[in-house]
Amino acid sequence: MGVALVPLAHGGSHDAGASAAMWLPSVLVTALLVAGYLVGLARLHGNGRGWSSRRTASFLLGAVLVGAALTPAVDADTASGHMAQHLLLGMFAPIALVLGAPLSLLLAGLPVAARRPVAAVLRSRPLHALSHVATAAVLSIGGLYLLYLTPLYALSIRSEVVHHLLHLHFLLAGYLFAWAVAGPDPAPRRPGMGVRLAVLVAAGGAHAFLAKLLYSRAASLPAGSGHAAAEVEAAAQLMYYGGHVADLLLLVAVFATWYRRTGRALARQPGAALSGVPAGG
């Protein structure tokens, strides 16, 4: 899977100072995510309000996955190492972060006057258009087609700036898609269940098709990468099977969120379990 206990690609010496510096981005990003969430929890508890331990655990897991993707243990010079980063940053970590409901935590901990600007942003048309599940799918999955079918991948190997911007895109686009599909956080004018499921299935199919395309054209894709065909084939397999696992987790999250919001209310209605069942059925 392209994981090796070696310094991260894109330059760097083997001395202790350089090796320690390579761990710095991972540690800083993880620490910032965890610290921000814990500050929100402290403010909430200071107001005498509780918070779900499962949400906390989910967000902390997401922060750890983000940090793991950025560690030197993931050799980003290999195709499989790059693909592991894509899966961690763009699919698995966003699901865990979104299920931690950080926006709900923020709103709950803010004073009433400070909530209004945040609520206004959530209701704004630009955010509505950006966070629509179809838009989020294009940004998340469509960005992968742009990356692997154009010279952008080769550029990310040569440029540190592009390489880090790519990581940021993976994380933000993945978070936006997970939030649009299954996030427990408020999302005004979120499409109905049917639309979100349809887009999720379509996005999963597009992701799997791209993985198959990379596998079948491993000798020429990604263009200019310099990877051996066998290396790209292994990365494509990781992309295919890892993507299916992430889609399954997101599907479970969709139905879990639906049940919390709708299923429990239906279950509390008298006779709901037997509605439509003939007598003696």
Side-chain angles (χ1 to χ4, degrees):
M1 291 178 56
V3 178
L5 296 179
V6 296
L8 186 64
H10 308 288
S13 67
H14 292 270
D15 61 80
S19 297
M22 288 178 179
W23 285 86
L24 189 59
S26 170
V27 173
L28 283 178
V29 171
T30 304
L32 285 174
L33 288 172
V34 171
Y37 200 84
L38 293 180
V39 167
L41 279 178
R43 290 182 61 88
L44 195 66
H45 292 323
N47 294 334
R49 301 178 62 179
W51 186 254
S52 168
S53 58
R54 284 178 294 182
R55 287 185 173 183
T56 301
S58 179
F59 189 89
L60 295 181
L61 173 61
V64 169
L65 291 177
V66 172
L70 300 177
T71 62
V74 179
D75 186 1
D77 262 356
T78 66
S80 292
H82 165 86
M83 197 60 69
Q85 286 185 326
H86 151 56
L87 291 171
L88 288 172
L89 290 173
M91 303 189 83
F92 289 103
I95 295 173
L97 292 173
V98 161
L99 294 180
L103 184 56
S104 295
L105 180 62
L106 173 66
L107 290 171
L110 287 175
V112 175
R115 292 180 199 168
R116 292 177 183 141
V118 178
V121 172
L122 288 174
R123 290 193 297 266
S124 66
R125 289 187 178 274
L127 183 62
H128 174 223
L130 182 65
S131 63
H132 190 280
V133 64
T135 308
V138 170
L139 290 173
S140 181
I141 307 302
L144 296 177
Y145 277 78
L146 181 65
L147 174 64
Y148 296 126
L149 303 184
T150 72
L152 181 59
Y153 181 85
L155 178 60
S156 72
I157 295 176
R158 298 192 302 268
S159 171
E160 281 282 354
V161 174
V162 175
H163 181 68
H164 293 307
L165 287 176
L166 187 62
H167 288 167
L168 183 62
H169 172 79
F170 280 161
L171 184 60
L172 294 181
Y175 185 94
L176 186 66
F177 183 61
W179 175 42
V181 171
D185 277 330
R189 297 191 292 270
R190 175 180 278 157
M193 184 81 159
V195 173
R196 286 181 283 135
L197 287 176
V199 173
L200 176 57
V201 171
H207 189 268
F209 177 80
L210 179 59
K212 291 182 177 180
L213 182 63
L214 289 175
Y215 187 90
S216 64
R217 298 178 58 185
S220 57
L221 292 177
S225 66
H227 297 316
E231 190 179 345
V232 176
E233 288 176 351
Q237 288 181 316
L238 179 60
M239 179 182 185
Y240 182 82
Y241 293 110
H244 279 317
V245 173
D247 290 340
L248 180 60
L249 291 174
L250 197 52
L251 191 62
V252 171
V254 171
F255 283 103
T257 302
W258 169 84
Y259 178 73
R260 282 195 297 270
R261 292 176 177 171
T262 308
R264 289 179 181 176
L266 292 175
R268 286 194 296 267
Q269 295 179 6
L274 298 178
S275 62
V277 179

